[in-house]
Amino acid sequence: MTSTVPAPVTRTADGSALQAVLLDMDGTLVDTEGFWWDVEVEVFASLGHTLDDTWRHVVVGGPMSRSAGFLIEATGADIALAELTLLLNQGFEDRIDRALPLMPGAARLLAELAAYEIPTALVSASHRRIIDRVLTSLGPQHFALTVAGDEVERTKPHPDPYLFAAAGLGADPSRCAVVEDTATGVAAAEAAGCHVVAVPSVAPISPAVRRTVVTSLEEVDLAFLRGLITV
């Protein structure tokens, strides 16, 4: 995990009480949710199994242990969870080494948050080895803190990663805006008490109390995020 001394919390002239922005990675900032599924399909094909496309909605956004465990059980593949996890991470790394497309609006949003010195954290269910590779493209300078799925006892959909990130930034979770792309991530953020902006990547997500749904990060800027949390 990487961190800095938390920035002092201020309230803007428009009454916003936004203290921090917490961002998911896969499918939210980088267009990689499809990469994970492609790797899963290829690895299981090498084991003699074909994945049902409907399972994609089950495994998207989840921790590696849950996703890989589900696929082993669903296919009956003769492979240990630890071995499968290694194969999936290796396959994913090969793909991001070849190409790592950012989601539309991601670079602009990160630049704006940095320009206004908004405390920002990257909160992902991916393992640290994956996050560190992706950070070279996202720019580690954009994040005061990064939280990986293998660094917390319980990762998404549990609230722990977002509670940890808020605490690390010295922020009240109820004054944090979270941007997520999957139901699993949304569940984690809402369980932590955060306001959520959902940008669905694979499966649809419905609006709810303290949850705003948009079609693209291009609809999200600092003014939008500040507007979510007012007094």
Side-chain angles (χ1 to χ4, degrees):
M1 287 169 278
T2 60
S3 63
T4 74
V5 176
V9 173
T10 59
R11 193 179 306 278
T12 59
D14 63 4
S16 174
L18 177 70
Q19 292 182 346
V21 176
L22 315 177
L23 302 166
D24 175 53
M25 186 177 77
D26 293 301
T28 298
L29 294 177
V30 289
D31 191 7
T32 52
E33 287 293 9
F35 286 15
W36 281 113
W37 181 247
D38 290 345
V39 170
E40 288 159 351
V41 168
E42 289 184 6
V43 168
F44 276 89
S46 71
L47 298 172
H49 297 277
T50 300
L51 300 189
D52 188 320
D53 195 60
T54 62
W55 296 342
R56 183 174 182 179
H57 291 178
V58 179
V59 301
V60 66
M64 178 71 74
S65 58
R66 189 194 74 182
S67 300
F70 168 82
L71 293 174
I72 290 174
E73 182 176 355
T75 61
D78 183 19
I79 187 170
L81 179 61
E83 182 183 358
L84 178 58
T85 297
L86 180 62
L87 291 175
L88 294 176
N89 275 326
Q90 288 177 336
F92 185 80
E93 288 181 41
D94 289 343
R95 274 170 170 71
I96 63 176
D97 282 345
R98 297 196 296 267
L100 185 58
L102 269 60
M103 298 298 288
R108 174 204 43 80
L109 178 60
L110 290 174
E112 183 179 18
L113 294 175
Y116 284 88
E117 299 182 343
I118 304 299
T120 302
L122 184 68
V123 184
S124 176
S126 290
H127 290 186
R128 168 56 56 187
R129 59 185 282 187
I130 298 296
I131 288 181
D132 286 344
R133 300 283 283 271
V134 175
L135 277 173
T136 61
S137 295
L138 287 176
Q141 73 277 7
H142 290 121
F143 305 100
L145 176 72
T146 66
V147 181
D150 57 340
E151 294 174 336
V152 290
E153 184 174 349
R154 301 186 307 170
T155 189
K156 305 173 187 179
H158 298 287
D160 305 35
Y162 282 113
L163 291 173
F164 184 90
L169 296 178
D172 181 338
S174 68
R175 301 303 186 191
C176 294
V178 170
V179 184
E180 272 281 0
D181 73 303
T182 67
T184 298
V186 168
E190 291 180 342
C194 304
H195 291 258
V196 179
V197 179
V199 193
S201 61
V202 176
I205 299 173
S206 300
V209 176
R210 297 169 66 89
R211 182 197 310 166
T212 303
V213 179
V214 299
T215 59
S216 168
L217 276 185
E218 293 183 313
E219 300 175 45
V220 180
D221 58 16
L222 180 54
F224 178 93
L225 295 173
R226 281 176 167 162
L228 299 176
I229 306 171
T230 58
V231 294

